[in-house]
Amino acid sequence: QVMLQESGGGSVQAGGSLRLSCALSGYNYDSGCLAWFRQVPGKEREAVAGIYGYGTTKYYSDSAKDRFTISQDNDKNIIYLQLNSLKPEDTAMYYCAAGSYRSWYGLWQGKSDFDYWGQGTQVTVSS
């Protein structure tokens, strides 16, 4: 059973930074994919960034490119999402998710077909 627990959310002003963390247990890096999603009430869940296997291949949404960075510490079983130059429109609940190679290919097609999800951490950006 894979378990994920996010932390690091909070309230910041526009232009500020946050680093989100997601602690993993039971996850297999050999054929797995990890990702960060976000969701605003009343809107569909949106993929933000993803990382495949041991971290050599990454995915970023257009809104995340050049501002957000996904990384993972395989020894500590933690993935991070560094959020820089935050904007009010980045306000959302952020979730980490774990899946398979199927999830990775779906990520590039705009799908959110992941097997395991964390509880989420709220990010609020004020103008």
Side-chain angles (χ1 to χ4, degrees), residues 16 23 32 41 47 51 59 61 74 76 80 91 93 95 104 109:
I51 193 164
Y59 161 89
S61 67
N74 298 334
K76 295 182 179 178
Y80 301 100
T91 296
M93 184 72 79
Y95 299 89
W104 174 251
Q109 298 169 9

Side-chain angles (χ1 to χ4, degrees), residues 14-78:
S17 298
L18 284 172
R19 188 176 79 160
L20 308 183
S21 300
C22 177
L24 312 167
S25 63
Y27 176 70
N28 182 355
Y29 288 95
D30 287 336
S31 59
C33 166
L34 298 164
W36 286 95
F37 289 80
R38 66 186 183 187
Q39 189 168 24
V40 176
K43 293 189 177 181
E44 289 190 3
R45 189 164 46 196
E46 173 192 14
V48 176
I51 193 164
Y52 185 75
Y54 287 93
T56 56
T57 307
K58 299 179 182 180
Y59 161 89
Y60 291 101
S61 67
D62 288 341
S63 62
K65 285 178 184 176
D66 301 324
R67 297 191 301 128
F68 298 173
T69 302
I70 188 171
S71 61
Q72 63 187 41
D73 186 326
N74 298 334
D75 293 332
K76 295 182 179 178
N77 290 325
I78 299 177

Side-chain angles (χ1 to χ4, degrees), residues 71-114:
S71 61
Q72 63 187 41
D73 186 326
N74 298 334
D75 293 332
K76 295 182 179 178
N77 290 325
I78 299 177
I79 60 167
Y80 301 100
L81 185 66
Q82 179 68 41
L83 310 174
N84 295 328
S85 303
L86 282 163
K87 305 174 181 179
E89 52 263 43
D90 294 318
T91 296
M93 184 72 79
Y94 284 71
Y95 299 89
C96 62
S100 66
Y101 71 91
R102 170 178 47 83
S103 308
W104 174 251
Y105 289 111
L107 190 64
W108 290 87
Q109 298 169 9
K111 299 179 181 179
S112 58
D113 188 14
F114 282 69

